[in-house]
Amino acid sequence: TAPVSRAYYKLQQVYEECLQHHSTINSITASKPPSPYQNHSGMDLGASPGGWSQVLHTSLSLPNVLSIDPATLAKRVLELPGVVHVRGDMACNAAVKRVVALEPFSVVVSDASMDFQEVLTKIVEALGKANQQLLKAGTSNRVLLTTPSVIVITLKLPRKSKTSIDKNLKLALHALSKEVQTMMTWVGQASPV
């Protein structure tokens, strides 16, 4: 299937350069070792039109991909088996309900067209609400994020000057260090599928 957007190529590059080594063919046995991600779900926040959801489905072979965005997804992405679209905000009740239903997640991605700090806050809010739902249900054997987990968030810069880039990178690193500590509390060993 042809990519639905140019954004597809950004995540495909991350996959090829950073993640694909988990699924390379063993030259001695000529077999492909299982990917540490393949038995878990993937989440694409700010998903429309669906390029990154497409990569999660096709390249990472994730059985379930939760695509959350107020806008629509391309028809050919919606037709991919296991792709579920919630049309709403990242932290809306329908999205949180689907996160809980499809956990655990081994990959969370976002290429949302919004400020990095805003998208990071929304991601933590959405995952935090889902984690609270899991805790309320008394499901101690369920985890939100698996070990290993991959989280990819693009940094959208308002201006491209060196001063602006330096300033925004410092702000992003500060926000990220705080939020990663929160996200680490949701990581655990997922039960075998």
Side-chain angles (χ1 to χ4, degrees), residues 149-168:
S149 287
V150 174
I151 299 174
V152 178
I153 306 169
T154 55
L155 176 60
K156 308 287 181 167
L157 299 171
R159 289 175 223 55
K160 306 296 190 252
S161 71
K162 181 176 178 355
T163 304
S164 178
I165 291 170
D166 288 346
K167 175 186 165 196
N168 282 286

Side-chain angles (χ1 to χ4, degrees), residues 1-5 49 54 73-81 83:
T1 305
V4 296
S5 67
Q54 213 176 4
L73 291 185
K75 183 179 178 189
R76 64 180 180 252
V77 175
L78 284 171
E79 291 173 347
L80 294 171
V83 172

Side-chain angles (χ1 to χ4, degrees), residues 8 18 22 43 49 79-80 108-109 116 122-123 137 144 149 166:
Y8 171 97
C18 304
H22 288 296
M43 186 183 320
E79 291 173 347
L80 294 171
V108 178
V109 297
F116 179 80
K122 288 241 181 222
I123 290 170
L144 193 56
S149 287
D166 288 346

Side-chain angles (χ1 to χ4, degrees), residues 5-23:
S5 67
R6 287 185 10 211
Y8 171 97
Y9 297 105
K10 286 189 274 187
L11 188 59
Q12 183 63 28
Q13 182 179 0
V14 170
Y15 168 72
E16 290 170 0
E17 293 180 9
C18 304
L19 305 175
Q20 192 173 22
H21 68 278
H22 288 296
S23 46

Side-chain angles (χ1 to χ4, degrees), residues 51-147:
W52 282 29
S53 295
Q54 213 176 4
V55 173
L56 295 179
H57 178 270
T58 57
S59 296
L60 274 76
S61 303
L62 299 175
N64 298 300
V65 176
L66 176 58
S67 304
I68 304 172
D69 197 297
T72 59
L73 291 185
K75 183 179 178 189
R76 64 180 180 252
V77 175
L78 284 171
E79 291 173 347
L80 294 171
V83 172
V84 176
H85 180 220
V86 172
R87 210 166 164 186
D89 183 78
M90 294 176 197
C92 73
N93 290 337
V96 171
K97 183 177 178 181
R98 283 298 194 157
V99 169
V100 171
L102 294 174
E103 60 77 28
F105 291 87
S106 57
V107 183
V108 178
V109 297
S110 180
D111 190 33
S113 295
M114 51 196 322
D115 175 75
F116 179 80
Q117 289 179 307
E118 184 180 350
V119 76
L120 187 58
T121 299
K122 288 241 181 222
I123 290 170
V124 170
E125 178 186 359
L127 295 177
K129 283 182 176 182
N131 193 59
Q132 287 300 316
Q133 291 293 321
L134 288 173
L135 292 173
K136 279 183 192 174
T139 52
S140 60
N141 63 331
R142 293 170 64 187
V143 296
L144 193 56
L145 300 171
T146 64
T147 303

